[in-house]
Amino acid sequence: MLFSLIFFCNDVYANEIPLVISNTPQTTIQIGANSSDQEKFAASEVQVFIQKVTGARINILTNQQSTETPTVIVIGTPATNPTIRSLESDGNLNISQSIKKEGYQLNTIDLGKEVIIIIVSPTPRGVIYGAYGFIEACITALTGLYPVHPDLHVKPNDTLRIPHLDETSEPFYPVRAVLEIDDPNWLARHRVNMSGGEGVWTGTGIEDGFGTAFKYIDTPEFLSLQDEPRNQRLERIASLQDRFNELQSRGIDAYLFMYLTGEPTEALIETRPDLLGPEVLYGASRNEVSYRPFCWSKPEFHTLARKLTKEILTTYPSLAGFHLRSWGHETRACNCPECGDRTPQGQAKLWDVYFTIINSAREVRPNFKFYLSGYDSSWLQDPDGKYASQLPKGTIFSQKWGADGEPVVDPNISIAQMNALGAMGHQYIVLSHDVEEVMPFWMIESDLFVQGVRKLSNTPGVSGLSGFTIQGASQGLGYLDRLVSAGLNWDIQLDSQQLIRNELIARYEVKEAADLILSALRINSWTLSSYFSDYAHSLTIGGSYGSGSAGLATRFWNLVGPKAIENTLLIPELKTAQTAINRFTALLAPQLRAANEMLDAAEIASPVNLEASEDLMDAVHLMRIWELLFQSRQKLVEAISLGYEFNTGTSIKAKLSSAVEYSKSIQPLIKQIHEFVPLFGYSHQTNEFELVKTLQEEVEWLTTFDYRTLQQHDENFLPEGAEFLIREVHNYPNPLKKETTFTYILSLEADEVQITIYTASGRRIQVLKDISMKEGYNEVEWNAQDAEGNPLANGVYFYKIRAVLEDEIVESIHKLAVIR
């Protein structure tokens, strides 16, 4: 026999299978004697998880070794583990024929006195995913939480029992990619099967272009084309070889990223000028002025490209594919008549370069893969699909979510192009990534992402979509987006909110805290998405006030500093300023709630470790930073609006002073951030310094700003018969918890102003008298107590502002809510 099962009389629970009891193993892991590295990794992951939780180390044996435990976890494919084939032939196991190559099946087979747990897939990669499905079943058994993920924090327990298993699972999308250099273990645990940004990725074509790819190889033939010392290159090569092997062993395809063709090495420019064209201007070049591009028309260049391509594949046998990107000046052709730059002739020459590389790679390895980004845009134009139809089937293409990954629901991708490529046998993915508008901070986009993904999956006629890249930052609580986007790629019906809530419950141990954190993050997500749609009409980053951030690669630095402030104060008309006031009022109320809920969560949460504590405090600070930013900008646009009224100089100065104080308040919060999102390679210290410096410059600029430039009228002129009005009545926060601020604008100075608060049934419960009566903008704070000093109960209330000038009376009635 190929395996032996020794039977014991231990009781097996009718509904639960004991794997560990009182730190004592009750199970063994069995793999095939000829199992692959990926299957061995799957077994080790199960072993590591059980030991981490229970302290018990489960033995891993092959099918040729005897097992001596009442339970055996059998892992593998029918081709690699004879035990699985034997159980199937005996009729004890029915392997579903519908499972695709990355799907898996979990089954419990009760043989009376022994229980077999099967983790089976048609492929080794699917076996890895099955191991994680089993681990998630263990986590649910230990915590009672579902859905979960393999990295969920689980308290140690000396006993582990799981229910009987009968589950099949397979991915909804075949390509589940990431474009960052991520931990291979994290990628595997979250069913990511492609890492598309391996190697160096600067985004300039200098160190990440095909023209500098000599740094990935060590061949005497190319020694004269190298720019760096050999020992440095050898270290990189060894590191990449290890990484590609590690990714491969975890079922992840590694794609080496290269701009085509990128700026050549300095050594190549010096030693092989015959391959290059004249200099072209490019501010992101090595010398920040110009560089000499390759001449795509020269046969000698194609000969070099073939040799370089083949050497890369020989150096990295575990490399799965190339990520080849063309965009802007990183791709620039020379200006010779043969190349033709971006003309149809130039486009054809660039495609020749692509096919030189692709064909050379497939000569070495026929199954080598390719991912093309930037297709049919600035470069790689292919309106009729002529070139795409010649590419190897299964080539991956991509398009960014929205214009440039901005936080919106609609990815706005070309369904026609996607379907056309899919009909050719290719794959199409959507690039979703960190929210650039908030960098170096993070925000949660899972609500937006889930809606967008499901919208596409349910849109009739969408047939070529193959997946999405992982969305979200790794810093702070930004990783919650990554959990959702990875999970959604596998299971389109994933309960994403419950997944996040379960993660927060496990990490902060108090359900009420988890609910508050989740609520605050979701409110902030929708608030920021709304803000970035038009910058609340307060900035012209997009070309005009109210045009939004689409495609602008905005950063937080664009929202603060003297340039941003000056831009806001140049709003040219009252109507735009009033729109901005209303927009900021609408944004402030939910953002205040988000900030308060996150602070309340921090007060009752019990973080499981220091990292969890720091992540939560970062969230507290970020919610407050956005609140203060909105408050500061609201004061600026209110100052602009006051400039269109008479005798408001004092009020304008007060508004500007308030904006200064809010800007000052942001600075200490930035200094308390534990982890920034990486940006331009800046260190944490640089991010902090530059942000604080920019805000200090903003404060200095505002402090010296001449408020009179905002006044559109002579403040000493008061026309006869001016209308007495009360307008722009608001209160924030609303809903409120402990206090609120009423705001209103009087067209003329009043003799008397009072605010009366009523219950929903109309009973008067409080009257605020002797409050601000001056012309222009006014604020009144209220502690949300009735006339007897009792805090108001939860519910809906009404308030009336009444202003009196001589024999004129004006009133305005509004609604507020109390949620404690």
Side-chain angles (χ1 to χ4, degrees):
M1 294 180 63
L2 294 177
F3 68 98
S4 174
L5 300 177
I6 299 178
F7 296 91
F8 289 83
C9 295
N10 297 44
D11 290 334
V12 176
Y13 284 41
N15 297 317
E16 291 185 320
I17 308 162
L19 303 181
V20 176
I21 296 179
S22 301
N23 301 119
T24 303
Q26 303 295 306
T27 190
T28 304
I29 299 171
Q30 188 215 71
I31 59 176
N34 298 316
S35 60
S36 66
D37 289 342
Q38 293 178 352
E39 291 167 282
K40 292 174 183 176
F41 172 73
S44 69
E45 285 288 87
V46 174
Q47 180 190 54
V48 167
F49 170 78
I50 293 176
Q51 184 171 11
K52 179 181 178 180
V53 173
T54 67
R57 183 174 179 81
I58 307 300
N59 288 331
I60 299 177
L61 304 177
T62 72
N63 63 290
Q64 296 176 349
Q65 298 171 292
S66 298
T67 59
E68 300 180 353
T69 54
T71 302
V72 180
I73 303 171
V74 177
I75 298 177
T77 72
T80 58
N81 194 329
T83 300
I84 294 175
R85 294 200 301 272
S86 176
L87 290 167
E88 186 177 23
S89 63
D90 290 344
N92 291 309
L93 174 63
N94 181 25
I95 300 178
S96 173
Q97 300 303 308
S98 64
I99 299 178
K100 299 175 183 177
K101 61 182 181 179
E102 290 190 349
Y104 62 84
Q105 183 170 326
L106 306 178
N107 288 109
T108 301
I109 302 173
D110 191 341
L111 298 178
K113 295 183 178 179
E114 183 165 29
V115 174
I116 310 297
I117 298 172
I118 298 292
I119 303 174
V120 62
S121 173
T123 63
R125 179 182 285 176
V127 171
I128 292 176
Y129 302 147
Y132 292 129
F134 172 76
I135 288 172
E136 289 169 351
C138 292
I139 292 174
T140 295
L142 288 164
T143 64
L145 301 175
Y146 180 84
V148 295
H149 62 92
D151 287 322
L152 189 86
H153 177 79
V154 179
K155 292 181 178 180
N157 196 315
D158 64 1
T159 296
L160 171 59
R161 295 187 178 93
I162 65 169
H164 288 249
L165 302 175
D166 183 9
E167 174 188 339
T168 59
S169 184
E170 58 187 22
F172 187 84
Y173 288 115
V175 181
R176 304 172 302 282
V178 67
L179 295 185
E180 295 82 17
I181 306 299
D182 272 297
D183 174 26
N185 289 329
W186 190 95
L187 297 178
R189 289 170 186 162
H190 296 276
R191 280 87 158 179
V192 175
N193 61 3
M194 173 191 175
S195 182
E198 293 296 324
V200 177
W201 193 352
T202 67
T204 65
I206 298 174
E207 295 302 332
D208 54 2
F210 188 74
T212 52
F214 305 102
K215 64 180 173 290
Y216 294 124
I217 58 175
D218 182 50
T219 304
E221 181 179 7
F222 296 123
L223 184 60
S224 63
L225 307 182
Q226 303 285 358
D227 277 351
E228 62 186 7
R230 183 167 182 255
N231 64 328
Q232 182 178 342
R233 189 167 65 258
L234 290 176
E235 288 179 4
R236 179 187 297 110
I237 291 171
S239 175
L240 280 175
Q241 287 173 335
D242 290 343
R243 177 168 174 84
F244 295 162
N245 289 336
E246 191 175 17
L247 288 167
Q248 184 184 60
S249 69
R250 285 151 177 75
I252 303 162
D253 290 339
Y255 283 69
L256 183 63
F257 172 84
M258 291 178 290
Y259 271 105
L260 280 190
T261 46
E263 183 175 351
T265 63
E266 292 180 288
L268 188 149
I269 293 172
E270 182 178 349
T271 61
R272 293 296 307 273
D274 58 303
L275 301 179
L276 309 174
E279 290 186 351
V280 296
L281 295 176
Y282 181 39
S285 65
R286 190 178 289 109
N287 63 14
E288 299 182 352
V289 178
S290 63
Y291 75 97
R292 294 189 63 184
F294 287 106
C295 179
W296 301 337
S297 301
K298 294 188 176 183
E300 297 86 352
F301 167 66
H302 288 265
T303 298
L304 178 70
R306 279 191 289 270
K307 290 180 179 180
L308 176 57
T309 298
K310 291 182 178 181
E311 192 59 40
I312 291 175
L313 266 72
T314 302
T315 304
Y316 304 100
S318 297
L319 182 65
F322 282 158
H323 174 183
L324 305 177
R325 176 169 173 77
S326 290
W327 198 260
H329 278 73
E330 296 87 355
T331 295
R332 182 70 182 270
C334 74
N335 290 322
C336 73
E338 289 81 9
C339 280
D341 199 43
R342 300 193 193 214
T343 65
Q345 177 182 334
Q347 298 284 346
K349 293 293 183 182
L350 177 58
W351 277 109
D352 286 344
V353 175
Y354 268 77
F355 283 107
T356 291
I357 294 171
I358 290 169
N359 292 334
S360 300
R362 288 169 67 83
E363 287 176 18
V364 178
R365 213 180 306 161
N367 62 346
F368 200 68
K369 303 176 182 179
F370 301 94
Y371 163 31
L372 274 58
S373 57
Y375 171 73
D376 202 24
S377 186
S378 174
W379 287 104
L380 290 181
Q381 291 177 18
D382 189 23
D384 57 3
K386 177 181 69 173
Y387 295 108
S389 65
Q390 302 173 48
L391 292 167
K393 291 192 182 303
T395 296
I396 298 173
F397 297 82
S398 65
Q399 182 178 328
K400 288 184 178 180
W401 184 289
D404 197 21
E406 72 273 14
V408 293
V409 169
D410 188 1
N412 191 31
I413 64 175
S414 172
I415 294 176
Q417 183 187 79
M418 178 176 62
N419 289 345
L421 292 169
M424 296 178 194
H426 299 316
Q427 297 179 306
Y428 194 100
I429 63 175
V430 179
L431 303 184
S432 45
H433 48 71
D434 300 357
V435 186
E436 293 185 344
E437 281 84 351
V438 302
M439 286 184 175
F441 303 135
W442 49 263
M443 67 174 278
I444 299 299
E445 273 193 288
S446 59
D447 280 1
L448 305 166
F449 183 80
V450 169
Q451 285 195 30
V453 171
R454 287 185 176 153
K455 176 182 177 182
L456 276 175
S457 69
N458 293 319
T459 299
V462 175
S463 59
L465 185 59
S466 296
F468 296 79
T469 56
I470 300 302
Q471 147 71 33
S474 301
Q475 294 70 33
L477 295 180
Y479 79 95
L480 296 171
D481 265 353
R482 294 167 62 79
L483 296 180
V484 170
S485 57
L488 202 68
N489 262 305
W490 184 275
D491 178 9
I492 197 69
Q493 300 301 327
L494 174 74
D495 188 339
S496 57
Q497 291 185 38
Q498 191 61 46
L499 177 70
I500 294 178
R501 182 174 183 267
N502 290 344
E503 164 66 14
L504 295 172
I505 289 172
R507 204 165 185 229
Y508 296 103
E509 297 191 337
V510 178
K511 291 183 179 180
E512 292 79 4
D515 289 336
L516 285 168
I517 296 170
L518 177 57
S519 175
L521 291 174
R522 296 185 68 208
I523 291 171
N524 174 253
S525 172
W526 288 105
T527 302
L528 292 186
S529 178
S530 175
Y531 172 63
F532 290 127
S533 69
D534 61 3
Y535 292 113
H537 283 70
S538 67
L539 286 173
T540 60
I541 294 177
S544 62
Y545 292 99
S547 60
S549 67
L552 299 167
T554 313
R555 309 296 194 276
F556 187 77
W557 273 286
N558 298 103
L559 309 179
V560 296
K563 289 184 178 179
I565 293 293
E566 183 178 17
N567 183 282
T568 296
L569 293 179
L570 287 174
I571 289 176
E573 57 185 5
L574 176 60
K575 181 179 179 181
T576 301
Q578 290 175 333
T579 300
I581 291 172
N582 292 334
R583 286 286 288 120
F584 278 119
T585 299
L587 293 168
L588 256 174
Q591 187 56 37
L592 281 165
R593 178 180 171 185
N596 290 336
E597 288 186 349
M598 195 65 75
L599 184 60
D600 290 343
E603 292 176 353
I604 62 175
S606 180
V608 297
N609 53 35
L610 178 61
E611 182 183 29
S613 178
E614 291 178 346
D615 287 350
L616 180 54
M617 292 314 301
D618 276 0
V620 170
H621 300 326
L622 285 181
M623 297 302 107
R624 178 68 172 150
I625 285 172
W626 288 110
E627 174 195 332
L628 292 170
L629 180 72
F630 292 161
Q631 288 174 321
S632 172
R633 286 4 182 202
Q634 184 183 48
K635 297 305 177 186
L636 295 181
V637 293
E638 286 173 346
I640 295 169
S641 180
L642 287 170
Y644 288 89
E645 300 179 20
F646 298 100
N647 298 324
T648 56
T650 301
S651 297
I652 292 173
K653 286 194 295 183
K655 295 294 182 183
L656 296 178
S657 296
S658 294
V660 166
E661 294 306 312
Y662 285 128
S663 296
K664 287 180 179 179
S665 299
I666 295 175
Q667 296 174 36
L669 295 175
I670 288 174
K671 293 180 180 180
Q672 295 179 63
I673 297 292
H674 294 95
E675 194 173 22
F676 292 106
V677 174
L679 181 61
F680 305 136
Y682 289 170
S683 67
H684 180 96
Q685 292 74 17
T686 300
N687 276 315
E688 178 184 302
F689 175 80
E690 291 296 332
L691 284 171
V692 171
K693 176 185 174 185
T694 303
L695 282 163
Q696 289 173 342
E697 292 170 349
E698 171 178 307
V699 167
E700 182 179 357
W701 191 94
L702 262 179
T703 302
T704 59
F705 175 71
D706 186 352
Y707 75 93
R708 291 173 296 182
T709 62
L710 297 180
Q711 291 183 281
Q712 308 295 317
H713 299 284
D714 178 0
E715 62 179 326
N716 294 318
F717 173 69
L718 181 62
E720 292 183 3
E723 187 176 6
F724 181 44
L725 299 173
I726 182 170
R727 54 186 178 81
E728 300 294 336
V729 177
H730 302 286
N731 76 292
Y732 64 91
N734 188 10
L736 63 93
K737 292 187 66 175
K738 298 178 180 179
E739 58 188 18
T740 193
T741 300
F742 297 101
T743 64
Y744 52 95
I745 293 175
L746 296 173
S747 62
L748 299 171
E749 184 172 351
D751 296 328
E752 176 189 347
V753 178
Q754 68 180 28
I755 300 175
T756 306
I757 294 89
Y758 302 86
T759 65
S761 62
R763 181 172 60 88
R764 186 176 64 186
I765 56 173
Q766 179 62 285
V767 179
L768 307 180
K769 299 179 180 180
D770 300 323
I771 58 179
S772 180
M773 301 176 293
K774 70 179 185 296
E775 175 188 346
Y777 179 85
N778 297 270
E779 290 184 352
V780 177
E781 295 182 353
W782 178 49
N783 60 8
Q785 295 179 2
D786 63 17
E788 286 72 41
N790 300 313
L792 266 60
N794 288 349
V796 176
Y797 297 83
F798 293 91
Y799 65 93
K800 178 174 68 176
I801 295 187
R802 181 175 184 270
V804 178
L805 176 58
E806 297 181 352
D807 58 350
E808 287 191 69
I809 299 176
V810 291
E811 295 180 340
S812 184
I813 299 176
H814 300 270
K815 184 188 297 184
L816 63 82
V818 176
I819 301 178
R820 300 188 185 275

